[in-house]
């Protein structure tokens, strides 16, 4: 039995399936034990002589055997349907809980944990738990109930041979307890090695363009071979130990079988010769049929004996996997809805920073320091600064992706840390810097916020981002599949589809994080003009690396090494901000040099 705080409730939730399955399994075991009895009776009847009466009894026993076979078939169908439905349901429910947990975990967790490890928890570890609740339950019932029932039947038939057989059977229990500890350790090592394979594969597939661009296919192949070889060694070690465990059990079973046949044969022969073995006043009169029945009982006991060995291995695997899953589900959720969270009913897009400072987890220096500014509703704001000056950090803090100090950021004069997470994030439409697209149709990517949006609205958003002509040029138009992470699209197309996806949300606040860097100047001007015309009453924040992108906006935030150097219009910044003036100068110089070539 597997016990854990995330597992215990399933015994009640799927209790009816387990109950029906166990009843069917027990019925199958009970009826199965009639077959050795019938075979023994048939042998005795044949020894007695093939007269009319004995032939009728034999035919009657054959009919009983067929009926029992049908009952066993029916009960096996029932326990397979119920027990495997329960085990699959447990795996599915656990995977659902893990997925919901993964959505609630903060960015900090994914900075520290490798994706390959998480994939392993969602696949092989859950499969181990499924296996234990399915086949493990069957083995446990057979190992306990059927073995007990068989031993009782064997005692009734002949207690001497039964005692002789039971003594070596105890070795299986001792061996199983020893094996379980070693198998748990080896299974954990196996899962860690598999984590490394998952992680390396995920990184390689994600960065396949870089690998090809730098002609590093051979190097990556050798690196993967090294990791795969380590995984192979650990798996072979695990398989070797598992096979040795099974072989030891099979040897014990073979020894017991030889003992039963040897001792039983001697007792039958003695009784046949008229000199039955006598112990005290008890004479053992064992017939051929009795020996056949006894051997049949033991053959019925072989599977439970094997199951004893298997269940120790299976439980050790499931226990190790459950520990890993429990560790994941027990992770602290840094980002949580505040108590008595406030919902923004009619947000207007006002943003206020008051002495806002921010430092990433495990970082030694502050990414942003003492930011004070107010963005009024309906303003279009640019953010500019050198690489690493904190531009993306400033806008990401608005989404509550990290916990911040209370009283430092306000949305519509409400403290961001008091806001309901769903309400806050519904207020903001974000175009992230990496322009992530799902492997789906372009229309589905644009309508990601609401799959029920009309095609007219999707096309309108694409026109806003000046990407409609490109999409219409594809053979399948808006039904074109973008490929994984938008691999079939150019950088500029991905950026503009991401802009369309954010625009269609029609949020009071829209953030574009360096989202026009891959488009030409004409397309950039079109997008900026559309922002001015279609979002004039809504707040828009645009991070850019080119001064030309932000110079015509209402105001511009200039960041320098995480500090707010200036927040004003282009004209005033040319007078007051050294960083801004230098960026303007360098970009004008770049244009002049470019023009001379």
């Amino acid at each position: 039995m597997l016990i854990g705080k995330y597992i215990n409730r399933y015994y009640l939730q799927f209790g009816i399936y387990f109950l029906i399955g166990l009843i069917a399994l027990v019925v199958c075991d009970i009826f199965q034990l009639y077959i050795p009895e019938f075979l023994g009776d048939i042998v005795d009847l044949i020894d007695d002589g093939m007269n009319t009466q004995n032939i009728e009894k034999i035919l009657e026993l054959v009919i009983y055997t067929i009926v029992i076979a049908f009952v066993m078939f029916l009960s096996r169908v029932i326990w397979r349907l119920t027990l495997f439905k329960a085990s699959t349901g447990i795996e599915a429910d656990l995977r659902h809980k893990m997925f919901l947990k993964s959505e609630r975990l903060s960015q900090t967790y994914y900075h520290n944990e490798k994706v390959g490890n998480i994939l392993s928890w969602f696949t092989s570890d859950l499969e181990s738990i499924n296996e234990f609740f399915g086949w493990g339950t069957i083995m446990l019932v057979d190992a306990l109930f059927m073995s007990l029932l068989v031993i009782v039947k064997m005692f009734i038939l002949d207690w001497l041979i039964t005692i002789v057989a039971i003594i070596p059977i105890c070795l299986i229990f001792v061996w199983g307890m020893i094996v379980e500890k070693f198998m748990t350790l080896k299974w954990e090592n196996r899962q860690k090695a598999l984590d490394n394979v998952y992680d390396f594969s995920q990184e390689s597939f994600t960065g396949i363009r870089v690998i090809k661009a730098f002609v590093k296919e051979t190097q990556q192949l050798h690196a993967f071979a090294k990791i795969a070889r380590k995984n192979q060694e650990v798996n072979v070690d695990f398989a070797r130990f598992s096979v040795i465990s099974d072989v030891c059990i099979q040897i014990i079973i073979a020894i017991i079988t030889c003992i039963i046949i040897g001792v039983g044969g001697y007792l039958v022969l003695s009784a046949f010769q008229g000199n039955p073995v006598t112990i005290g006043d008890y004479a053992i009169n064992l017939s051929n049929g009795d020996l056949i029945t006894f051997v049949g009982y033991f053959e019925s006991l072989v599977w439970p004996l094997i199951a004893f060995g298997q269940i120790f291995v299976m439980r050790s695997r499931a226990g190790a996997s459950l520990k890993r899953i429990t560790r994941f589900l027990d992770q602290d959720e840094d980002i949580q809805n505040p108590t008595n969270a406030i919902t923004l009913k009619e947000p207007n897009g006002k943003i206020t920073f008051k002495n806002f400072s921010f430092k990433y987890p495990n970082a030694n220096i502050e990414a942003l320091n003492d930011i004070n500014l107010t963005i009024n509703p309906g303003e279009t704001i640019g953010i500019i600064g050198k690489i690493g000056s904190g531009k993306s950090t400033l806008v990401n803090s608005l989404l509550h992706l990290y916990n911040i100090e209370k009283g430092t950021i306000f949305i519509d004069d409400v403290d961001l840390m008091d806001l309901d997470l769903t309400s806050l994030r519904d207020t903001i439409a974000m175009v992230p810097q990496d322009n992530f697209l799902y492997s789906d149709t372009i229309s589905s990517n644009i309508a990601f916020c609401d799959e029920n949006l009309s095609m007219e609205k999707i096309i309108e958003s694409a026109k806003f981002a000046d990407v409609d002509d490109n999409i219409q040029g594809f053979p399948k138009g808006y039904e074109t599949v973008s490929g994984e992470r938008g691999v079939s699209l150019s950088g500029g197309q991905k950026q503009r589809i991401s802009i369309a996806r954010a625009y269609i949300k029609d949020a009071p606040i829209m953030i574009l994080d360096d989202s026009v860097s891959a488009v030409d100047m004409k397309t950039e001007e079109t997008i900026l003009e559309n922002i001015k015309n279609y979002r004039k009453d809504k707040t828009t924040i645009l991070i850019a690396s080119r001064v030309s992108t932000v110079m015509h906006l209402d105001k511009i935030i200039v960041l320098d090494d995480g500090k707010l150097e200036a927040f004003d219009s282009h004209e005033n910044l040319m007078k007051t901000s050294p960083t801004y003036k230098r960026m303007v100068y360098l970009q004008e110089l770049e244009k002049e040099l470019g023009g001379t070539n």
Side-chain angles (χ1 to χ4, degrees):
M1 197 170 184
L2 200 62
I3 302 296
K5 62 180 178 179
Y6 295 108
I7 288 292
N8 296 341
R9 72 182 193 85
Y10 292 123
Y11 292 107
L12 182 61
Q13 181 178 341
F14 294 96
I16 186 66
Y17 293 105
F18 282 117
L19 181 62
I20 294 172
L22 293 179
I23 291 173
L25 193 57
V26 169
V27 168
C28 182
D29 289 345
I30 292 173
F31 275 81
Q32 183 176 335
L33 295 180
Y34 281 105
I35 295 177
E37 291 183 19
F38 293 162
L39 290 176
D41 291 341
I42 290 172
V43 169
D44 285 338
L45 288 170
I46 293 173
D47 286 344
D48 193 42
M50 296 297 289
N51 52 51
T52 304
Q53 185 179 2
N54 285 351
I55 291 174
E56 289 177 357
K57 289 181 179 179
I58 291 172
L59 291 174
E60 185 178 344
L61 289 171
V62 169
I63 293 171
Y64 286 159
T65 303
I66 294 172
V67 172
I68 286 172
F70 176 77
V71 173
M72 289 174 60
F73 166 77
L74 187 62
S75 60
R76 280 176 177 167
V77 170
I78 293 172
W79 64 249
R80 283 176 182 270
L81 289 175
T82 52
L83 294 180
F84 289 146
K85 180 177 178 62
S87 64
T88 304
I90 291 170
E91 179 188 3
D93 194 69
L94 265 178
R95 182 176 282 112
H96 181 68
K97 286 184 181 301
M98 291 171 67
F99 184 79
L100 293 178
K101 179 71 175 184
S102 67
E103 289 185 318
R104 295 194 300 269
L105 289 171
S106 67
Q107 297 292 103
T108 305
Y109 178 79
Y110 293 106
H111 286 166
N112 299 327
E113 193 63 62
K114 293 183 177 180
V115 175
N117 296 352
I118 299 172
L119 288 174
S120 178
W121 304 336
F122 273 82
T123 51
S124 60
D125 284 316
L126 283 175
E127 288 169 3
S128 297
I129 293 175
N130 181 343
E131 182 185 45
F132 178 79
F133 277 101
W135 284 111
T137 301
I138 297 163
M139 291 178 179
L140 183 63
V141 172
D142 279 345
L144 294 177
F145 179 82
M146 190 172 182
S147 59
L148 180 62
L149 195 62
V150 169
I151 290 172
V152 170
K153 290 267 190 181
M154 291 167 69
F155 257 106
I156 294 172
L157 187 61
D158 190 279
W159 59 270
L160 178 61
I161 304 179
T162 304
I163 291 175
V164 172
I166 283 178
I167 293 173
I169 287 175
C170 296
L171 296 174
I172 294 177
F173 293 97
V174 176
W175 177 254
M177 288 186 287
I178 295 172
V179 164
E180 182 178 14
K181 294 182 179 179
F182 284 98
M183 290 302 294
T184 299
L185 179 61
K186 291 184 179 297
W187 180 257
E188 289 177 348
N189 292 336
R190 177 187 179 276
Q191 294 302 89
K192 289 177 183 177
L194 188 61
D195 290 347
N196 293 333
V197 173
Y198 273 124
D199 189 60
F200 187 88
S201 301
Q202 186 268 335
E203 284 188 347
S204 297
F205 289 133
T206 302
I208 191 67
R209 289 183 176 181
V210 177
I211 294 171
K212 289 180 177 293
F214 284 85
V215 197
K216 292 295 181 181
E217 293 92 339
T218 304
Q219 177 180 305
Q220 288 296 103
L221 182 62
H222 288 312
F224 180 76
K226 184 177 180 181
I227 294 172
R229 192 156 44 247
K230 176 64 177 177
N231 182 61
Q232 179 189 23
E233 291 171 358
V234 173
N235 274 274
V236 168
D237 183 52
F238 174 83
R240 183 185 295 114
F241 193 84
S242 180
V243 169
I244 290 173
S245 174
D246 290 342
V247 169
C248 289
I249 292 174
Q250 294 285 355
I251 290 173
I252 295 172
I253 292 171
I255 291 171
I256 298 172
T257 304
C258 291
I259 291 172
I260 291 173
I261 294 174
V263 174
Y266 173 75
L267 296 175
V268 170
L269 181 62
S270 298
F272 177 75
Q273 292 174 344
N275 298 311
V277 174
T278 303
I279 300 177
D281 296 331
Y282 177 70
I284 302 175
N285 290 297
L286 199 67
S287 67
N288 289 332
D290 291 336
L291 181 59
I292 293 296
T293 301
F294 199 93
V295 172
Y297 283 150
F298 184 74
E299 287 179 352
S300 298
L301 188 61
V302 168
W303 159 243
L305 291 177
I306 294 174
F308 265 118
Q310 290 290 334
I311 202 166
F312 283 118
V313 175
M314 198 175 292
R315 188 185 183 283
S316 66
R317 292 203 306 253
S321 294
L322 182 60
K323 284 181 183 177
R324 287 152 58 91
I325 290 172
T326 300
R327 200 180 306 123
F328 173 71
L329 292 173
D330 279 343
Q331 284 294 327
D332 293 332
E333 296 176 16
D334 299 334
I335 309 300
Q336 294 184 350
N337 246 359
T339 306
N340 301 321
I342 300 171
T343 300
L344 293 172
K345 295 182 179 179
E346 294 183 1
N348 56 33
K350 181 181 179 182
I351 303 170
T352 305
F353 292 88
K354 290 185 179 179
N355 303 318
F356 173 63
S357 298
F358 180 80
K359 182 169 66 174
Y360 284 102
N362 303 322
N364 296 322
I365 60 173
E366 291 184 328
L368 292 169
N369 183 24
D370 198 26
I371 306 295
N372 287 278
L373 60 90
T374 298
I375 299 172
N376 294 314
E379 285 188 325
T380 303
I381 304 297
I383 302 179
I384 203 163
K386 294 181 291 185
I387 294 173
S389 60
K391 302 186 295 295
S392 295
T393 302
L394 185 67
V395 295
N396 285 335
S397 63
L398 297 175
L399 292 165
H400 196 171
L401 298 177
Y402 297 92
N403 286 322
I404 61 172
E405 187 179 345
K406 288 195 69 172
T408 56
I409 299 180
F410 298 83
I411 306 293
D412 291 352
D413 298 321
V414 179
D415 194 325
L416 182 140
M417 294 300 291
D418 292 330
L419 285 172
D420 175 77
L421 282 172
T422 302
S423 173
L424 169 66
R425 292 170 182 173
D426 277 344
T427 304
I428 301 172
M430 181 74 174
V431 184
Q433 197 170 17
D434 62 354
N435 302 298
F436 181 89
L437 297 181
Y438 291 93
S439 181
D440 204 342
T441 62
I442 292 175
S443 61
S444 295
N445 270 289
I446 294 176
F448 183 70
C449 67
D450 184 359
E451 60 183 13
N452 296 317
L453 288 168
S454 65
M455 182 54 68
E456 291 75 13
K457 189 69 177 175
I458 292 171
I459 294 173
E460 177 190 332
S461 299
K463 288 180 177 178
F464 171 88
D466 198 25
V467 72
D468 176 62
D469 289 343
N470 290 132
I471 297 172
Q472 299 285 9
F474 295 140
K476 294 184 179 180
Y478 282 85
E479 295 307 306
T480 300
V481 176
S482 63
E484 187 176 2
R485 301 180 72 91
V487 68
S488 63
L489 304 172
S490 69
Q493 289 168 342
K494 286 194 290 185
Q495 279 191 340
R496 285 176 287 162
I497 290 172
S498 296
I499 293 172
R501 179 174 59 191
Y503 173 75
I504 205 170
K505 189 176 178 181
D506 195 29
I509 300 172
M510 181 174 174
I511 300 171
L512 295 87
D513 189 354
D514 202 19
S515 300
V516 291
S517 59
V519 301
D520 56 63
M521 295 296 293
K522 182 177 180 301
T523 302
E524 178 185 304
E525 290 174 4
T526 301
I527 294 171
L528 293 175
E529 186 65 24
N530 289 339
I531 290 174
K532 180 180 178 182
N533 294 333
Y534 296 106
R535 286 191 57 83
K536 64 175 96 176
D537 297 325
K538 296 180 175 67
T539 303
T540 304
I541 302 173
L542 199 153
I543 296 175
S545 54
R546 294 194 296 251
V547 173
S548 59
T549 304
V550 300
M551 61 188 301
H552 297 297
L553 304 183
D554 297 331
K555 289 181 182 178
I556 303 167
I557 298 171
V558 182
L559 295 175
D560 183 29
D561 292 331
K563 296 181 180 179
L564 178 64
E565 181 176 295
F567 178 42
D568 213 327
S569 64
H570 168 74
E571 291 76 13
N572 292 334
L573 289 176
M574 290 297 293
K575 302 174 185 176
T576 60
S577 173
T579 299
Y580 189 78
K581 284 193 293 183
R582 179 167 178 76
M583 291 183 71
V584 171
Y585 170 74
L586 290 175
Q587 290 184 23
E588 287 180 350
L589 182 62
E590 184 180 356
K591 284 183 183 179
E592 291 177 9
L593 291 175
T596 60
N597 292 333

